[in-house]
């Protein structure tokens, strides 16, 4: 019977068939990570332009008349393992300290100590974040706030969706009002995101975004070299493809 099942191409699941059991993966259900094991990180942003008007990176009919002249780059740096362990330890201490009033004497010390040790041991075993740099890009027609804030929001939402939790805890940019001004702070504050900026005269203070600009521009330029002058209009699409390739490794 088992041989006939295999010759038929495993049409139905057979519990005695090793190939069916392996392909079904019935013994390893997918489980959600605990809240203390979820990743997080900082998002560095920067704007580049103006550039040659390029095709808008969308196949929607209403986007055919739009032309990209600027783009905003987001460089997301996830926490490494040591930073995750430290964050989990601090969260465990804060949680136990909040309930300390319900304990007295040795019970309070045991409650605080056990919570911190448990969180530390659990995070050291399971957290395997390597601090990889991830790049995201959004095309812009202008540097107006009505475009930059939705672009920043789109990048943050994409990162959160990728990690399936709130992953962006800080947004860092230069002193330009379209990146870290008052309106951007009003966007970040209700979402629990800290908005920081450089002093305004030192590009090295935003090294992640500045370095990311060099990386993606160089690779996009290499992609477009063989297309000649008409290919210059495709630079927004090339940037998106470069960022996707870098995220995919």
């Amino acid at each position: 019977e088992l041989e006939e099942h295999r010759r038929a191409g495993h049409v139905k699941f057979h519990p005695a068939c090793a190939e069916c059991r392996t392909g079904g993966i019935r013994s390893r259900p997918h489980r959600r990570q605990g809240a203390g094991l979820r990743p997080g990180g900082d998002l560095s942003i920067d704007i580049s332009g103006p550039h040659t008007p390029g095709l808008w990176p969308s196949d929607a009919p209403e986007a055919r008349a739009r032309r990209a002249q600027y783009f905003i780059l987001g460089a997301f740096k996830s926490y490494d393992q040591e930073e995750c362990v430290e964050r989990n330890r601090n969260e465990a201490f804060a949680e136990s300290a909040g309930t300390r009033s319900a304990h007295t004497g040795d019970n309070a010390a045991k409650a605080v100590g056990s919570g911190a040790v448990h969180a530390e041991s659990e995070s050291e075993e399971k957290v395997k974040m390597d601090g990889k740099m991830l790049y995201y890009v959004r095309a812009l027609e202008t540097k107006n706030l009505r475009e930059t804030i939705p672009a920043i929001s789109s990048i943050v939402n994409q990162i959160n969706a990728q990690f399936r939790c709130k992953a962006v805890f800080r947004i860092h940019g230069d002193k330009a009002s379209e990146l870290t001004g008052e309106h951007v702070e009003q966007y970040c504050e209700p979402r629990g995101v800290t908005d920081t900026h450089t002093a305004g005269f030192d590009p090295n203070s935003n090294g992640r975004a500045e370095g990311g600009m060099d990386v993606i521009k160089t690779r996009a330029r290499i992609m477009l070299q063989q297309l000649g002058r008409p290919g210059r209009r495709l630079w927004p699409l090339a940037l998106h493809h470069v960022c996707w390739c870098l995220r995919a490794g």
Side-chain angles (χ1 to χ4, degrees), residues 71-172:
F71 70 90
I72 184 170
L73 172 71
F76 179 74
K77 178 70 161 54
S78 60
Y79 296 147
D80 57 23
Q81 184 173 352
E82 293 182 0
E83 291 172 329
C84 283
V85 171
E86 182 179 1
R87 183 195 62 181
N88 295 340
R89 186 188 299 115
N90 293 338
E91 289 180 351
F93 176 78
E95 182 178 358
S96 58
T99 58
R100 189 176 301 177
S101 59
H103 303 276
T104 56
D106 295 338
N107 292 333
K110 292 179 181 179
V112 174
S114 61
V117 172
H118 174 71
E120 181 178 354
S121 61
E122 183 180 25
S123 59
E124 287 179 348
E125 291 178 0
K126 296 184 179 180
V127 175
K128 298 185 181 301
M129 294 300 296
D130 58 356
K132 181 180 179 181
M133 187 75 72
L134 305 176
Y135 296 108
Y136 304 84
V137 68
R138 293 294 184 272
L140 304 171
E141 290 183 289
T142 65
K143 295 196 296 183
N144 195 286
L145 285 170
R146 69 174 182 271
E147 291 191 54
T148 58
I149 292 181
I152 295 173
S153 176
S154 176
I155 293 175
V156 172
N157 291 338
Q158 182 178 353
I159 297 172
N160 292 340
Q162 180 176 349
F163 288 95
R164 286 169 175 75
C165 65
K166 178 187 174 182
V168 179
F169 291 90
R170 183 172 73 102
I171 295 178
H172 181 71

Side-chain angles (χ1 to χ4, degrees), residues 173-249:
D174 56 32
K175 209 172 181 179
S177 60
E178 62 268 12
L179 293 179
T180 56
E182 179 181 356
H183 295 282
V184 179
E185 292 179 357
Q186 292 175 358
Y187 162 80
C188 294
E189 185 175 358
R191 293 164 175 81
V193 179
T194 302
D195 180 41
T196 61
H197 58 80
T198 66
F201 51 82
D202 186 12
N204 294 329
S205 300
N206 194 19
R208 292 176 182 172
E210 296 288 347
M213 283 288 185
D214 293 337
V215 171
I216 67 169
K217 283 184 177 180
T218 300
R219 300 201 177 192
R221 193 178 299 115
I222 294 173
M223 287 183 180
L224 300 176
Q225 275 183 350
Q226 304 300 324
L227 300 180
R229 191 176 185 85
R232 295 182 181 179
R233 300 170 60 247
L234 302 177
W235 64 262
L237 303 173
L239 291 176
H240 277 273
H241 185 65
V242 167
C243 291
W244 179 85
C245 290
L246 293 174
R247 292 198 303 269

